[in-house]
Amino acid sequence: MHAAASARGSEARSSEGGAGAPSRAPGVQAVASPRTALVPPGPLPSLRFGYGTNGLADLRLDDVLALLADLGYDGVGLTLDHMHLDPLAPDLAARTSRVAHRLDALGLGVTIETGARYVLDPRRKHGPSLLDPDPADRARRVDLLVRAVRVAADLGAHAVHCFSGVVPEGTDTDTAWKRLTGTLTPVLDAACSAGIPLAVEPEPGHLLGTLADFHHLRSTLGDPEPLGLTLDIGHCQCLEPLPPADCVRAAAPWLRHVQIEDMRGGVHEHLPFGDGEIDFPPVLAALAATGYQGLTVVELPRHSHAGPHLAAHSLPFLRHAERTAATTTPPAPAPAIQQTAPPHGAPSATHEGSSTG
């Protein structure tokens, strides 16, 4: 492991325990990834913005990193895919080491994302998933996530992102939840050993589609410490009953990764900033007030054709929204809430059939 990357990763490796420690799933131990807490009154810390490589898929990875550094981004959401640090190709450790050196040289932080469309199966988008009927197929997805955890540790990443997958045809909801908890347990074990939080994303149309579903998973697993949340701000606008800023406050204790883009209510379509309905200054103010210091990554996976242009325009938009937020008085922070998971297929807002980008 590169020395600087090792130093970054070691920040999360101290042990924790003692009275009041949460219960955990069998075989899952504590990992030191501090719970997000509201910061004291005063000037809010600056947020750290990144851009997702899945929105720059037409560029070589080295060119992506150079572009983002030149534009002033703080980091990158690195989707492991055939064109960007292929997790299944030979010499992964050596290639990862080279990326670690490059990240360090450019001063970029990193989150590992695992939403590549066809990295495991050239014919099934996002297949196989953690919910597949075939145990061997589920094991392939588990193997990918464990590889992602190892890459994250070697890069000093602050989290590994994942999602549940769509419930397969003919599979009942109870069976799907059992598969999800069973397949995530070895990934959580790996995350615990590596000191890397696993940040599960509620994805419209998936088994785990809402914040309420995340709490259901967390409770079912016994609140394992490595398990955290990827909050996609657009998904909050699309599907959640709370406004996006309130979603941020409600999710604060579990935030490990944040994705951001514009979106409209009831429509799962990732949009460039200004093309949707989200009022961003309150969202960014709420996020800063939680004390979250991981990356907030622009997520435009269907806009790679214009990726460099959108990357150049997204950061100034976000910084302007951040400055606007600093000049207004935010509402009093709402306490984090634990919602009761609705039955699968009973969304928390107007339902829209959807598939992941």
Side-chain angles (χ1 to χ4, degrees), residues 161-183:
H161 149 278
C162 71
F163 44 62
S164 68
V166 176
V167 178
E169 185 176 355
T171 299
D172 64 85
T173 302
D174 287 344
T175 298
W177 279 108
K178 289 176 182 177
R179 288 176 187 166
L180 181 60
T181 56
T183 50

Side-chain angles (χ1 to χ4, degrees), residues 129-212:
S129 79
L130 295 172
L131 309 179
D132 267 35
D134 186 343
D137 278 345
R138 297 199 299 272
R140 291 173 61 204
R141 177 61 62 172
V142 169
D143 176 70
L144 176 67
L145 295 179
V146 171
R147 287 170 182 255
V149 168
R150 293 171 184 156
V151 168
D154 286 345
L155 295 180
H158 74 81
V160 171
H161 149 278
C162 71
F163 44 62
S164 68
V166 176
V167 178
E169 185 176 355
T171 299
D172 64 85
T173 302
D174 287 344
T175 298
W177 279 108
K178 289 176 182 177
R179 288 176 187 166
L180 181 60
T181 56
T183 50
L184 279 181
T185 296
V187 184
L188 288 165
D189 286 341
C192 178
S193 297
I196 301 292
L198 184 70
V200 179
E201 178 187 7
E203 184 74 37
H206 284 211
L207 173 69
L208 197 155
T210 65
L211 287 173

Side-chain angles (χ1 to χ4, degrees), residues 34-357:
R35 299 276 186 182
T36 305
L38 294 175
V39 298
L44 296 176
S46 294
L47 296 170
R48 300 175 63 238
F49 293 113
Y51 201 95
T53 60
N54 61 2
L56 292 163
D58 296 302
L59 278 66
R60 298 177 182 88
L61 180 56
D62 194 62
D63 292 335
V64 169
L65 301 181
L67 172 70
L68 298 183
D70 287 347
L71 292 174
Y73 282 91
D74 300 293
V76 58
L78 174 54
T79 296
L80 302 181
D81 207 344
H82 63 88
M83 80 295 281
H84 291 154
L85 196 54
D86 188 340
L88 304 180
D91 301 321
L92 178 59
R95 290 183 288 113
T96 300
S97 179
R98 289 194 291 270
V99 173
H101 282 274
R102 187 65 173 147
L103 290 168
D104 287 340
L106 295 172
L108 294 173
V110 61
T111 302
I112 297 301
E113 302 196 353
T114 60
R117 293 181 180 92
Y118 297 101
V119 70
L120 289 178
D121 190 324
R123 293 174 176 83
R124 286 193 294 163
K125 181 181 175 183
H126 298 303
S129 79
L130 295 172
L131 309 179
D132 267 35
D134 186 343
D137 278 345
R138 297 199 299 272
R140 291 173 61 204
R141 177 61 62 172
V142 169
D143 176 70
L144 176 67
L145 295 179
V146 171
R147 287 170 182 255
V149 168
R150 293 171 184 156
V151 168
D154 286 345
L155 295 180
H158 74 81
V160 171
H161 149 278
C162 71
F163 44 62
S164 68
V166 176
V167 178
E169 185 176 355
T171 299
D172 64 85
T173 302
D174 287 344
T175 298
W177 279 108
K178 289 176 182 177
R179 288 176 187 166
L180 181 60
T181 56
T183 50
L184 279 181
T185 296
V187 184
L188 288 165
D189 286 341
C192 178
S193 297
I196 301 292
L198 184 70
V200 179
E201 178 187 7
E203 184 74 37
H206 284 211
L207 173 69
L208 197 155
T210 65
L211 287 173
D213 293 330
F214 168 75
H215 287 300
H216 177 66
L217 174 69
R218 188 175 60 81
S219 176
T220 301
L221 285 170
D223 197 20
E225 184 65 20
L227 179 64
L229 173 70
T230 292
L231 186 69
D232 187 304
I233 301 302
H235 294 173
C236 297
Q237 178 72 22
C238 168
L239 196 60
E240 295 289 344
L242 297 174
D246 287 342
C247 287
V248 169
R249 285 184 279 268
W254 301 278
L255 281 183
R256 300 296 177 268
H257 182 42
V258 176
Q259 297 172 344
I260 194 165
E261 69 285 314
D262 217 338
M263 204 169 285
R264 302 186 184 99
V267 182
H268 183 206
E269 181 183 3
H270 292 234
L271 299 172
F273 297 114
D275 288 359
E277 300 171 344
I278 298 176
D279 183 12
F280 284 97
V283 174
L284 298 184
L287 188 57
T290 69
Y292 172 76
Q293 281 292 284
L295 291 174
T296 299
V297 172
V298 179
E299 184 79 359
L300 292 172
R302 296 185 180 179
H303 292 77
S304 280
H305 63 283
H309 170 81
L310 289 170
H313 285 77
S314 294
L315 186 58
F317 178 96
L318 290 168
R319 290 298 183 201
H320 180 266
E322 188 180 32
R323 290 192 297 271
T324 301
T327 65
T328 60
T329 303
I337 58 174
Q338 177 172 338
Q339 305 176 53
T340 301
H344 182 68
S348 53
T350 303
H351 179 68
E352 287 287 334
S354 174
S355 62
T356 306

